[in-house]
Amino acid sequence: MDKQLSFDYIIAGAGSAGCVLAARLCEDPTVTVCLVEAGGNGDSLFVRMPAGNGFLFGNARFDWGYCSVAQPGLDGRRIYYPRGKGLGGTSLMNGLIYVRGNARDFDRWRDLGIRGWGYADVLPYFKKSETATHRDPAFHGHSGPLKVTPALNYCEVSRGFVAAAQQAGAVLNEDFNGQQQVGVGRFDAKVFGGQRQSTSATFLQRRRANLTVMIETRALRVELSGGKAVGLRISHGGITQTLHAEREVISCLGAFESPKLLMLSGIGPADHLREFGIDVAQDLPGVGESLQDHPNMPLTFEIKDPMLSFARYQRLDRTLWLGLQYLFSKSGPATGPFWSTALFHAFDGGELPDLEVFCTPMVVREGAGGAGWTLHHLLQPGRAILARGKTAAPGIQFDINLLRPGSKGRIRLASANPAEHPQIDPAYFSAPEDVDHLIDGVRHVREVTRQPALAKIIGKEITFGAHMTSRTAMADGLRENVTTGHHPVASCHIGAEQDPGAVLDAEFRVRGIERLRVVDASAFPDQISGNPNACVVMMAERAADMLSGRPQLARDDRS
């Protein structure tokens, strides 16, 4: 055996989980770790610049550019899923929002019979990963690698939204990751010193000698022998070879690719694997099942003063000013995302929100499309920064995320070719109640927009038009306009021993296969009440202790 190709731990995928896990495992100088990433080094000015992710969406160097199968619940539309490519994964291009989910989400996981996953169990790991010196140390870390700060670009429109939501009955919430989550306020962003805090820029900032990083290297399958994972088959530069794992193989490829890797390795629904001539090593029906995403309804409005909209930065002179400010002083609007406020709303007035609503002072139409340059781009170069490669328009956009949808989809192989994207079916609106709940969400946001604090700012509704009030008409409008909330999870979910659909146990171990784990958003037992990235980082922190044989951090009872 070539000792250069043998490591204690092999991690497939250098995204949000993989970077964290590799860094933590390498704190033990006696172990060796190989981190395998199909993308490149993930480095670019537009990665580091918080407002620069528009240059990354649709760019094949940084975006895998997934697309769903046709969605019957959305009148046959296909949904574009941008996902990060390169060291840092989707943390290279996400919206930078630091929200952990609700304490009751984790207590629900515990109550499903998944031991050790209550809020008191996970809070110490959220704190371990984080530096938030402006926050209460009872709920936040002050010395972790991931630095978060109050979201910038807290502008007149944002302040108007916060005030209007309060006038509509919301409480002001100074910290969505503190004592409670419901309410309206300014959120924290994964930005520090004017730069994006991706997991590669934070956890991998210091490369230890016992870490080997292989970029532009595709994971083909997990090598199995006698019911154990013994290595990872890879392709690099057209050459295939096997990396040998002395201890374990861990998939950190995300909600789309981790189930694909398992199925390509013979682990998954037996009948489906046989369709593609794949030998079945472990019949595990739950692989690829239970996929959940937050459906997002972008509700848009005109704005009375176009100069209050961030779309103003598309003009050439303003784009140059914005870019020069950032390059020379790490200051100005480009140092933060263009959204800074959110409303967590519970229909029943309780503590577990049903909606997460973001306010953005411009209108952006979601959809597939690259960041290639045309004459229109040259006349409005800020377009790529502001609008993810699409044209932004003056206005206000409220993105209404349904936090706990009943709809569950699946991931399936499209072929036995590891280079081919899997079939992604989020099954939007397969649970009819999701339509009803989003209609109620639209109605509540309309109520917010009618409050005095927004009256002098907001114009008429664009998306539906104020005349669209019947539930039937609104349901049709949802099917035409709903898109992804960019939060796919649970396609290889952790479950209790008696859960027949569970793929993983409470320590991320794949059922029926030794020395193989999955640590990423696919491992979520179900959907959480917020953006999943902080939770993915927390999971990787926990997994590192589990793999290393260290005891879990002491519980922190704050409820």
Side-chain angles (χ1 to χ4, degrees):
M1 181 186 298
D2 186 344
K3 290 299 182 183
Q4 290 184 326
L5 298 179
S6 180
F7 305 89
D8 291 312
Y9 299 103
I10 300 171
I11 301 171
S16 296
C19 290
V20 175
L21 189 56
R24 292 305 194 189
L25 289 175
C26 285
E27 289 176 350
D28 179 352
T30 68
V31 305
T32 56
V33 177
C34 183
L35 181 60
V36 176
E37 169 56 40
N41 62 16
D43 187 34
S44 164
L45 168 65
F46 301 109
V47 167
R48 297 189 296 273
M49 182 169 68
N53 64 346
F55 281 102
L56 310 179
F57 281 70
N59 182 332
R61 181 183 166 198
F62 296 101
D63 180 7
W64 285 109
Y66 296 101
C67 192
S68 77
V69 301
Q71 294 295 289
L74 302 181
D75 295 334
R77 288 192 295 124
R78 298 175 185 268
I79 300 299
Y80 164 54
Y81 277 104
R83 307 304 292 169
K85 182 180 182 181
L87 294 180
T90 303
S91 74
L92 298 174
M93 63 189 304
N94 63 16
L96 293 166
I97 297 166
Y98 184 81
V99 172
R100 298 170 176 173
N102 193 282
R104 284 159 182 77
D105 291 328
F106 306 107
D107 288 344
R108 180 179 66 252
W109 292 359
R110 176 202 61 202
D111 294 343
L112 288 171
I114 309 170
R115 296 182 61 184
W117 280 96
Y119 180 61
D121 300 297
V122 303
L123 178 58
Y125 284 95
F126 279 119
K127 293 167 68 174
K128 179 181 180 180
S129 66
E130 178 195 30
T131 287
T133 55
H134 62 295
R135 294 298 189 195
D136 182 354
F139 293 96
H140 293 272
H142 284 188
S143 59
L146 186 63
K147 299 179 178 66
V148 301
T149 53
L152 300 178
N153 294 313
Y154 187 57
C155 62
E156 183 175 343
V157 174
S158 303
R159 291 190 293 270
F161 170 62
V162 170
Q166 290 177 265
Q167 290 168 349
V171 298
L172 179 64
N173 191 339
E174 300 286 357
D175 181 6
F176 295 126
N177 303 302
Q179 188 67 47
Q180 66 175 23
Q181 187 185 25
V182 293
V184 66
R186 182 180 181 183
F187 54 72
D188 283 344
K190 289 166 284 188
V191 175
F192 183 77
Q195 299 200 67
R196 171 183 288 270
Q197 297 291 284
S198 69
T199 54
S200 53
T202 51
F203 284 85
L204 289 187
Q205 189 174 38
R206 175 188 174 192
R207 295 275 184 91
R208 297 176 187 268
N210 53 341
L211 174 62
T212 298
V213 177
M214 300 181 69
I215 60 173
E216 298 177 356
T217 303
R218 182 180 294 275
L220 304 179
R221 67 176 182 269
V222 178
E223 296 284 13
L224 304 172
S225 178
K228 297 179 181 180
V230 296
L232 185 71
R233 191 70 173 167
I234 61 168
S235 175
H236 176 79
I239 300 173
T240 60
Q241 56 188 330
T242 297
L243 305 177
H244 300 277
E246 299 295 329
R247 298 191 185 184
E248 297 204 28
V249 176
I250 308 102
S251 178
C252 297
L253 293 169
F256 299 154
E257 291 289 333
S258 274
K260 188 183 93 173
L261 180 67
L262 293 187
M263 288 188 278
L264 290 173
S265 308
I267 304 165
D271 290 344
H272 178 63
L273 302 186
R274 292 188 184 109
E275 289 178 28
F276 299 102
I278 298 172
D279 292 335
V280 178
Q282 178 69 21
D283 182 7
L284 206 53
V287 174
E289 296 290 336
S290 303
L291 174 69
Q292 286 193 291
D293 188 18
H294 290 141
N296 172 62
M297 175 60 209
L299 190 66
T300 58
F301 292 79
E302 293 180 351
I303 192 167
K304 291 181 178 178
D305 180 0
M307 289 304 294
L308 294 179
S309 171
F310 289 139
R312 68 186 184 270
Y313 292 118
Q314 290 183 114
R315 209 176 75 181
L316 179 60
D317 58 335
R318 295 178 184 142
T319 300
L320 291 174
W321 171 79
L322 181 148
L324 290 172
Q325 269 193 307
Y326 183 79
L327 286 171
F328 289 106
S329 64
K330 293 294 185 295
S331 63
T335 56
F338 288 110
W339 37 89
S340 62
T341 52
L343 166 66
F344 286 91
H345 177 70
F347 291 133
D348 64 2
E351 297 184 3
L352 187 63
D354 299 286
L355 305 174
E356 182 179 16
V357 182
F358 306 104
C359 174
T360 304
M362 63 183 174
V363 172
V364 180
R365 179 70 178 179
E366 285 280 2
W373 288 92
T374 66
L375 177 61
H376 181 70
H377 289 94
L378 292 173
L379 295 175
Q380 291 190 317
R383 165 184 188 270
I385 298 177
L386 296 169
R388 300 177 176 175
K390 295 166 281 294
T391 300
I396 305 174
Q397 181 163 316
F398 301 97
D399 285 293
I400 307 169
N401 279 212
L402 183 63
L403 290 177
R404 287 184 314 284
S407 300
K408 292 186 178 182
R410 61 166 45 168
I411 303 296
R412 283 291 181 261
L413 294 176
S415 76
N417 180 0
E420 188 168 354
H421 287 175
Q423 290 188 336
I424 301 167
D425 182 9
Y428 289 125
F429 295 162
S430 57
E433 63 269 22
D434 291 352
V435 177
D436 292 331
H437 293 156
L438 262 179
I439 288 172
D440 292 338
V442 170
R443 287 181 166 176
H444 182 70
V445 172
R446 281 175 166 174
E447 178 66 20
V448 171
T449 65
R450 289 193 286 264
Q451 300 305 312
L454 277 175
K456 63 182 179 179
I457 297 173
I458 204 164
K460 66 181 181 180
E461 185 178 322
I462 300 171
T463 309
F464 286 167
H467 64 281
M468 189 181 288
T469 57
S470 75
R471 295 190 79 87
T472 299
M474 292 176 71
D476 290 341
L478 289 175
R479 294 186 183 95
E480 182 180 348
N481 290 282
V482 157
T483 184
T484 173
H486 304 285
H487 303 154
V489 302
S491 52
C492 292
H493 76 268
I494 291 172
E497 186 175 348
Q498 65 273 22
D499 179 356
V503 176
L504 311 174
D505 69 9
E507 295 190 10
F508 304 98
R509 294 175 293 211
V510 175
R511 286 185 170 185
I513 302 292
E514 296 181 39
R515 305 188 350 171
L516 177 62
R517 305 195 201 208
V518 177
V519 182
D520 55 35
S522 72
F524 285 29
D526 59 21
Q527 188 59 275
I528 64 169
S529 304
N531 310 63
N533 187 254
C535 187
V536 170
V537 172
M538 174 275 290
M539 282 184 149
E541 290 274 23
R542 294 198 76 188
D545 279 355
M546 292 170 181
L547 282 156
S548 301
R550 296 188 291 261
Q552 292 285 286
L553 297 178
R555 286 166 49 87
D556 189 343
D557 288 293
R558 297 282 170 181
S559 55

